[in-house]
Amino acid sequence: MNKYLVHRILYSCISMFGLIVLVFFVSRLTGNPVDLYLPVDTPPEMREAFSQMHGFNDSIMVQFERFIVDLAHLNFGESLRQQRPALTIVMEAFPTTLILSSVAMVFVLAISIVAGSLAARHPNGVFDRIVSLIALASASIPNFWLAIVSIMIFSVGLRWLPTSGTGSLVHWILPVFILVVRPCGIVAQVVRSAMIDALSSAYVKTARAKGVRKRVIIFVHALRNALLPVMTVAGDQAAGMINGAVIVEMIFGFPGIGKLMIDAISNREFVVVQAAVIVVALAIFIMNFLIDLVYVALDPRIRVN
């Protein structure tokens, strides 16, 4: 394995540890779970027994040490509310978020690569101006605002689409659309810029002189060399899409990991919050590593000396 990938793995491990430390201490800022799970008039001795049973009386450093030891054994703790392992709860919700983000990312790549590549054929032409305008507008729209407006138009006004749920494919249309719009505008602009540079290069001019078809030049010769900057931005957008799913899942009532995290924070389920954040972070790090592998495949010259 080359040095580039080794360094990337090392940086990911350091980032993961920093995130674990951060999520442990920040989650405790939401308050004492005893105040949430026991009535206000609970006798002090019962509150003390409850705190002692769950380790809330221990100092924060003792709790952190216990958390790290348990984490080393892949033990994320047990939910107070559901009386089930936190990791099990998270893994039940994660596939919904993963499917939602993956489907949205497929649409983002397909639309942005085609639109950006075709726009780069004639820079400053009519189609290029239209694509650039739409891409700029979509990249500037916040997810939560677009989600609310879409519900008002397509669900409340026209009654074409449901407002929440996951019962059928129709329920997925609005959430996927919301997640696609902003990343699509950002990636399309990068594709356009990278393709303009690639299409003006010497090897493309040589291919044109040989009579190679325009579509082959654009989508075979130029696109491969333009993919490196595109993959960088697409990877960032894919990671951000999982984070953006938190808002979308809350608005549309999707039973994914985003909604689970919000509910866990409200209920002061520290172990569920920690498990959810770590699972999401691990998924993002794995995805970034796969993107690094694509980097090396596209350009073997990438090395870290």
Side-chain angles (χ1 to χ4, degrees):
M1 186 181 297
N2 62 50
K3 293 182 179 180
Y4 175 76
L5 296 179
V6 172
H7 280 245
R8 293 292 292 175
I9 293 174
L10 179 61
Y11 294 151
S12 296
C13 291
I14 295 174
S15 300
M16 175 64 82
F17 180 76
L19 180 64
I20 289 173
V21 175
L22 183 64
V23 70
F24 175 85
F25 288 101
V26 171
S27 63
R28 266 74 184 164
L29 298 178
T30 58
N32 190 345
V34 177
D35 299 331
L36 186 65
Y37 286 95
L38 296 181
V40 179
D41 56 351
T42 302
E45 57 271 15
M46 291 186 62
R47 296 174 64 89
E48 182 69 21
F50 183 85
S51 299
Q52 188 67 33
M53 179 187 303
H54 297 286
F56 298 138
N57 280 347
D58 297 333
S59 67
I60 190 67
M61 294 310 299
V62 171
Q63 294 184 45
F64 178 68
E65 181 181 354
R66 184 167 56 242
F67 167 66
I68 294 297
V69 172
D70 290 341
L71 188 61
H73 294 86
L74 298 180
N75 178 14
F76 288 82
E78 190 173 89
S79 167
L80 291 176
R81 183 172 293 270
Q82 301 188 34
Q83 296 298 308
R84 293 196 298 151
L87 186 59
T88 300
I89 298 173
V90 171
M91 295 311 295
E92 289 175 354
F94 187 63
T96 302
T97 301
L98 188 60
I99 294 173
L100 179 63
S101 302
S102 300
V103 171
M105 199 63 206
V106 169
F107 279 104
V108 168
L109 291 176
I111 295 172
S112 57
I113 288 177
V114 172
S117 299
L118 295 179
R121 290 178 59 186
H122 303 290
N124 297 320
V126 176
F127 185 75
D128 179 35
R129 291 175 184 270
I130 293 174
V131 170
S132 298
L133 179 62
I134 295 175
L136 181 61
S138 61
S140 305
I141 299 176
N143 281 352
F144 70 90
W145 181 87
L146 183 61
I148 295 173
V149 171
S150 298
I151 290 175
M152 293 175 60
I153 295 175
F154 298 106
S155 299
V156 178
L158 300 175
R159 299 183 182 276
W160 288 353
L161 299 171
T163 59
S164 62
T166 57
S168 64
L169 290 177
V170 178
H171 291 82
W172 290 70
I173 294 178
L174 278 181
V176 170
F177 170 72
I178 302 305
L179 284 179
V180 164
V181 170
R182 190 170 186 274
C184 194
I186 296 174
V187 177
Q189 293 180 72
V190 177
V191 171
R192 174 191 174 276
S193 178
M195 285 296 292
I196 289 176
D197 292 338
L199 289 173
S200 62
S201 59
Y203 67 87
V204 169
K205 295 179 181 178
T206 302
R208 286 173 177 167
K210 292 180 178 180
V212 180
R213 293 182 179 181
K214 289 184 178 180
R215 291 183 179 179
V216 176
I217 292 175
I218 293 175
F219 293 106
V220 177
H221 295 280
L223 184 58
R224 176 171 180 173
N225 290 278
L227 279 181
L228 280 177
V230 173
M231 289 301 299
T232 301
V233 177
D236 292 338
Q237 293 304 310
M241 191 171 290
I242 296 179
N243 296 327
V246 174
I247 299 175
V248 172
E249 288 173 1
M250 284 298 298
I251 294 176
F252 291 98
F254 250 61
I257 200 168
K259 187 175 184 301
L260 175 67
M261 288 174 62
I262 298 299
D263 293 340
I265 292 172
S266 301
N267 296 325
R268 298 173 191 171
E269 291 267 25
F270 297 155
V271 293
V272 177
V273 175
Q274 292 162 181
V277 172
I278 291 173
V279 168
V280 170
L282 185 60
I284 293 175
F285 289 149
I286 292 175
M287 181 172 55
N288 287 335
F289 179 70
L290 294 177
I291 293 173
D292 291 335
L293 292 179
V294 174
Y295 270 26
V296 176
L298 292 174
D299 189 355
R301 296 171 300 175
I302 295 178
R303 294 290 187 273
V304 175
N305 296 324

